[in-house]
Amino acid sequence: MKVLVTGAKGQLGFDTVNELHKRGHMAFGVDREEMDITDAHQVEKIMQCEKPDAVIHCAAWTAVDAAEEPENMQKVYSINATGTKYIAEQCRKIGCKMMYLSTDYVFDGQGHMPWQADCKDYKPLNVYGKSKLDGELAVANILKDFFIVRIAWVFGKNGSNFIKTMLKLGETHDSLRVVCDQIGTPTYTLDLARLLVDMIETEKYGTYHATNEGGYISWAEFAEEIFHLARKNVKIIPVTTEEYGLSKATRPHNSRLDKTKLIENGFVPLPDWHDALERYLMEIGVRKVIA
């Protein structure tokens, strides 16, 4: 199968291209330099030339706070919504599969119950969430069959993420304030890439949620485990989102995603996030605690 992967230099795109190659698929990874998804003519030219059997659309604007800056808003929508629309239109013309990576931010993050994959009670709280929802709606409106996979708290080898930020801050701080009232589950791109390829090899279309297993935690609890496994003596001070008070974008408190639809459709869930974190710290060369 020939698969075009957008955002190939990012955390998820990089691992997805590698996973496709491992399985003998022809992976064609593109980033901004090879295919500017905000340019309809460029998207058409490359996709019509390559004629992939499937597209895994990982490219996105993911800088949540920067998305709130007035000078960035148009660009955020151009990438996350309009660019996704252009790709979906070409997938329809070519007749190839499309998988769109979305986010828990399409919901308002209220309550304590996990969000169901087919829930349509969309109430995004920020520009990033609104733009990603527009991308979802574009895919669903243009294509009859599609994959939409919502993920959360992503970390991988390429690019920046919460783990790298914590480890860097831990080099110069004995203690760190981390929010304790935003709840979710981390997602390791190495594990997620395996699942995405499992899915794209099927015709089990629909909207899914995918994070690592192991239950729901707060960012503060995640930070504590990061430093524990990295053998760093950094004290985590749990604070509320209001007490933290530095974010420009409003973030959801409830990022719990229900993943039962994966199991119902025969897909293997991602491993426990503790295990994922250990493997990730090994991947980036950080010494872990051996039990």
Side-chain angles (χ1 to χ4, degrees), residues 10-30:
Q11 295 186 102
L12 180 57
F14 179 83
D15 285 337
T16 301
V17 168
N18 286 341
E19 181 66 23
L20 286 162
H21 281 148
K22 278 186 206 173
R23 302 206 199 176
H25 295 298
M26 187 183 300
F28 180 62
V30 295

Side-chain angles (χ1 to χ4, degrees), residues 23 28 44-45 48 64-65 107 109 111 140 150 158 176 213 216 223 232-233 244:
R23 302 206 199 176
F28 180 62
E44 180 179 21
K45 179 182 177 181
Q48 289 295 330
V64 178
D65 285 329
F107 302 117
R150 298 194 190 106
N158 279 22
L176 293 170
E213 295 297 311
Y216 305 113
K232 303 289 185 182
N233 189 23
Y244 188 72

